[in-house]
Amino acid sequence: MAGGSGLAARTAGAGPAGGRPLIITEDPLLLDDLLRLCAAAGAEPHVHHAVPERSAAGDGRAEGDGAATAGSRAGAGWETAPLVLVGDDAARRVRGAPRRHGVLLVGRDLDDPFVWQRAVEIGAEGVLRLPDAENRLVDRLADVVEGAGRPALTVGVVGGSGGAGASTLACALALRAARAGERTILVDGDPLGGGMDVLLGGEGAEGLRWPDFAASRGRVGAGALEESLPELHALRVLSWDRGDRVVVPPAAMRSVVAAARRRGGVVVVDLPRRVDEAVAEVLAQLDLVLLVVPGELRSVAAAGRVAAGVRMVARDVRVVVRGRCRQGLDAEAVAGLLGAPLAGEVPVEVGLPGRVAEGEPPGARGALARFCDGFWQRALGSAQGVPA
């Protein structure tokens, strides 16, 4: 993988992780709404009538006298809270406060023509109108509770043709990331692939599988997701069970993959070649897609059709050539035919299928392990960018 500019840096959390949000308002109806939404997100807020450092501090609905310093130490300060919700009624009172990230102006008047002017005056990053924006606000509050920071580097792997070895590469990438000390989740996005847990020798491991998440709606807790999945070879695996269900609604796919990303570290997704609505939800959240192409002309032709479907949604698609072409094409030529950058070459390991059959996970050693190690060394380098 050649050096060059990295992907755009992913957004870090907007304040101290895991703290308590700050609410500034004297509007009792708005406060009731905000406290209700905080409860839905599992967040316990500080409530003030003005900027805490300039007035009394307090928790809940109470506001005591002369407690500003103590309130700041408890995480109630304007500059220390991970998220600040300023009510419309309080915009003038906080106009002179220091500018900071993570300030939202919240109100209940959907027709107010001056709301953005007030937002600019206080340095707010956005305006939320209730009740329309309730779901967005609950998501932001839940990020505070979970201590959401830099999202996971999320890599999808898809075969350019049948038998390309995409599932093997996905397993190996996840294994090597985990062995490098990264918090790693391997997601099986192909219901007809036979199960990633089987490939890792853990089909009997306890934990939830995709059908258990089929009814998921809205936000899925990142920590709860990770803890619920089988742990195999120091990584978490979300696979399919042995039942008949092979469909998970797109909304559930979106929610579960988003939860995996919020946990940070690395997420590797094994993708099917056919892009339907559910797969599109996954592709939209990926930083990078690796298209695995065996070194033969028929596979290159088939990969062109797969790449066309993937590119409709994915932002960055790169080619991994598996084995050498016998028709005089080198890896660069294969990538050129597909109109995508070359991510690298993976030699065919003659003994790999036998070792996997004996219980050794893909990527435990050999050329495949070396390819994955090199990939992660570049991808997890400076600012967790993926070099072009």
Side-chain angles (χ1 to χ4, degrees), residues 54 78-79 94-103 117-125:
R54 297 184 177 187
W78 171 270
E79 296 183 6
V94 303
R95 190 180 296 168
R99 296 301 174 100
R100 53 152 290 169
H101 295 293
V103 176
Q117 178 181 336
R118 294 195 296 277
V120 170
E121 290 173 350
I122 67 173
E125 68 180 54

Side-chain angles (χ1 to χ4, degrees), residues 264-290:
V266 166
V267 175
V268 180
V269 185
D270 182 43
L271 296 163
R273 296 195 302 279
R274 181 176 179 274
V275 179
D276 57 18
E277 189 177 352
V279 174
E281 291 287 359
V282 178
L283 288 171
Q285 300 190 59
L286 299 181
D287 296 305
L288 170 66
V289 176
L290 298 178

Side-chain angles (χ1 to χ4, degrees), residues 245-270:
R245 182 162 194 152
V246 294
V247 176
V248 168
M253 279 278 191
R254 177 176 63 250
S255 296
V256 171
V257 174
R261 294 184 70 244
R262 287 197 307 273
R263 196 62 173 162
V266 166
V267 175
V268 180
V269 185
D270 182 43

Side-chain angles (χ1 to χ4, degrees), residues 22-35:
L22 171 63
I23 296 173
I24 301 177
T25 184
E26 286 186 288
D27 182 338
L29 295 179
L30 178 60
L31 180 57
D32 282 343
D33 284 337
L34 294 179
L35 292 176

Side-chain angles (χ1 to χ4, degrees), residues 74-355:
W78 171 270
E79 296 183 6
T80 57
L83 181 67
V84 179
L85 307 178
V86 179
D88 266 351
D89 64 292
R92 291 182 179 179
R93 296 196 295 278
V94 303
R95 190 180 296 168
R99 296 301 174 100
R100 53 152 290 169
H101 295 293
V103 176
L104 296 172
L105 183 63
V106 187
R108 298 165 63 246
D109 185 355
L110 301 178
D111 300 317
D112 185 351
F114 302 107
V115 62
W116 282 104
Q117 178 181 336
R118 294 195 296 277
V120 170
E121 290 173 350
I122 67 173
E125 68 180 54
V127 174
L128 298 180
R129 307 280 86 186
L130 305 181
D132 290 3
E134 286 192 355
N135 289 338
R136 288 175 55 197
L137 183 51
V138 170
D139 279 347
R140 287 297 299 270
L141 290 165
D143 282 341
V144 170
V145 174
E146 292 182 357
R150 185 186 297 276
L153 178 60
T154 309
V155 178
V157 185
V158 60
S161 63
S167 296
T168 298
L169 177 58
C171 278
L173 284 169
L175 180 73
R176 301 311 297 185
R179 291 191 175 182
E182 294 291 332
R183 172 187 280 126
T184 305
I185 296 180
L186 174 61
V187 178
D188 187 353
D190 186 358
L192 303 180
M196 300 297 273
D197 53 353
V198 175
L199 192 54
L200 289 169
E203 59 270 29
E206 293 186 2
L208 300 185
R209 266 66 172 182
W210 264 121
D212 298 306
F213 296 97
S216 298
R217 295 292 184 273
R219 186 185 180 95
V220 175
L225 171 68
E226 182 181 33
E227 293 171 4
S228 72
L229 300 178
E231 183 174 6
L232 304 170
H233 304 284
L235 59 97
R236 298 286 181 167
V237 182
L238 175 53
S239 188
W240 297 83
D241 62 11
R242 311 284 83 81
D244 295 333
R245 182 162 194 152
V246 294
V247 176
V248 168
M253 279 278 191
R254 177 176 63 250
S255 296
V256 171
V257 174
R261 294 184 70 244
R262 287 197 307 273
R263 196 62 173 162
V266 166
V267 175
V268 180
V269 185
D270 182 43
L271 296 163
R273 296 195 302 279
R274 181 176 179 274
V275 179
D276 57 18
E277 189 177 352
V279 174
E281 291 287 359
V282 178
L283 288 171
Q285 300 190 59
L286 299 181
D287 296 305
L288 170 66
V289 176
L290 298 178
L291 177 65
V292 184
V293 185
E296 56 186 31
L297 286 178
R298 287 188 64 206
S299 296
V300 174
R305 292 189 290 272
V306 175
V310 171
R311 282 197 189 100
M312 293 177 65
V313 185
R315 296 185 295 271
D316 190 348
V317 180
R318 306 182 196 178
V319 173
V320 174
V321 177
R322 181 170 170 265
R324 291 189 175 276
C325 287
R326 302 174 184 174
Q327 293 84 6
L329 294 175
D330 60 17
E332 290 285 357
V334 171
L337 288 172
L338 295 171
L342 179 67
E345 299 178 66
V346 178
V348 175
E349 291 187 58
V350 177
L352 180 60
R355 298 202 303 269

Side-chain angles (χ1 to χ4, degrees), residues 36-60:
R36 171 175 56 84
L37 297 175
C38 283
E44 183 181 356
H46 293 284
V47 180
H48 296 267
H49 294 169
V51 177
E53 286 82 358
R54 297 184 177 187
S55 69
D59 294 340

